[in-house]
Structure formats: structure tokens, C-alpha cells
Amino acid sequence: MMIDRRTLIRNGGAAAAGALGVTALTPAVGVAATDPTDPTSGVTRTLLQRHPSPAEGWETVQTLVEIPRGKESGWHSHPGVEVGYIARGDVLMEFDDGHALRLRTGDPFFIPSGAIHNARNVGRETTMMLSTYVVDETKPLVTTYENENRPAKPHP
């Protein structure tokens, strides 16, 4: 399914959300008030573009992720790699194996396929991350995990 970026901008990405298997795709403009009791409240993923990958069965998806001050993406994984760039802000990228990376404005990052991770805004402004995924087109873009439901990974 090809998605016209102009249509996405007009519709706030809602038209593509179902096709991507993501319910959290929301417009970046006019971010709603956040719930202080929900650590992921106010986080948005705006679809910028989506195209078939040269490899059959795979697609390339690009999003703009915005994480308000003091909030986090929530623990999640993707069915392919994520290549990203911190356009604005400070993030602590946590992984379920206990490792963490401190990322600041201008830093690139790479997340392997299936890696369970959480992006926590540790800065003073809304973080903006440009994330590009090369993913299995038959699977949802994002699989979320509650803390108690995350699969345990052995520590080296």
C-alpha cells in the first residue's frame, strides 16, 4: 500500500496506522496534555513515509517520534532494524539486557531487529527522534511490553 505524504499530513497519519499495525501514530502538531501518572502519555509517532524495500517481504518506514519532557516511549521492539537520529533533546535509550546509551541532539543510533528497548526523555525539552525502520511487512511496526511481561534475557 502506497501512502501519499500530503494525505498523511492532512489526516495526521491515521490513514496509515492500521496498515502499519501501530495504534500510536498521531499527529505531531497540537500535542495534547500529558497524564502525569502515565509515563508514556503524550508520546507521538508521526508517519513520514513508507515504501517497499528492495528485499521482497520487507518495507522501509520512517517516523518522527516526539517524547515530552519526563516521559518515555515504553518498552517495545520492532520486526527489523531501527536506524535513528536525535533531532532535538536528550534521551536515555535503555535495553532489556541492562545496557543503556545516553543520546543527545545530533547523535545517531542503531537498534537491532527484535531488541526490546525504551527511550526515556532525560532532557529539558520535548525530544524529537527521526527513526527509519526496515521491517518485515507482515508484522506490526511496534510490539509493546509491560515491564512485568518483558521476556527475560540472560546477562553475559
Side-chain angles (χ1 to χ4, degrees):
M1 172 174 141
M2 292 301 290
I3 299 170
D4 179 345
R5 186 171 186 277
R6 289 187 182 122
T7 301
L8 287 173
I9 291 170
R10 280 192 294 267
N11 297 328
L20 292 173
V22 177
T23 57
L25 281 176
T26 59
V29 180
V31 175
T34 61
D35 176 352
T37 64
D38 179 358
T40 63
S41 174
V43 175
T44 61
R45 286 184 182 94
T46 303
L47 178 66
L48 300 177
Q49 57 182 327
R50 177 180 177 222
H51 301 282
S53 173
E56 190 173 330
W58 293 82
E59 65 184 346
T60 304
V61 179
Q62 189 172 57
T63 64
L64 177 65
V65 180
E66 294 187 72
I67 305 173
R69 180 180 172 190
K71 298 295 183 174
E72 60 190 65
S73 65
W75 291 96
H76 65 282
S77 65
H78 309 284
V81 298
E82 177 179 0
V83 178
Y85 176 79
I86 306 299
R88 179 179 70 203
D90 295 307
V91 171
L92 184 63
M93 189 72 68
E94 305 168 301
F95 295 89
D96 68 335
D97 66 0
H99 289 92
L101 296 172
R102 177 72 184 258
L103 302 167
R104 294 177 173 85
T105 300
D107 286 343
F109 62 91
F110 178 87
I111 299 175
S113 180
I116 299 172
H117 59 286
N118 178 46
R120 180 184 312 274
N121 182 339
V122 293
R124 296 181 180 205
E125 62 186 335
T126 296
T127 292
M128 294 178 67
M129 302 186 314
L130 181 64
S131 289
T132 303
Y133 312 89
V134 179
V135 292
D136 181 332
E137 68 184 7
T138 66
K139 297 182 180 172
L141 178 63
V142 178
T143 299
T144 59
Y145 302 90
E146 296 294 326
N147 281 335
E148 60 275 3
N149 294 330
R150 282 187 292 133
K153 284 196 175 178
H155 292 277

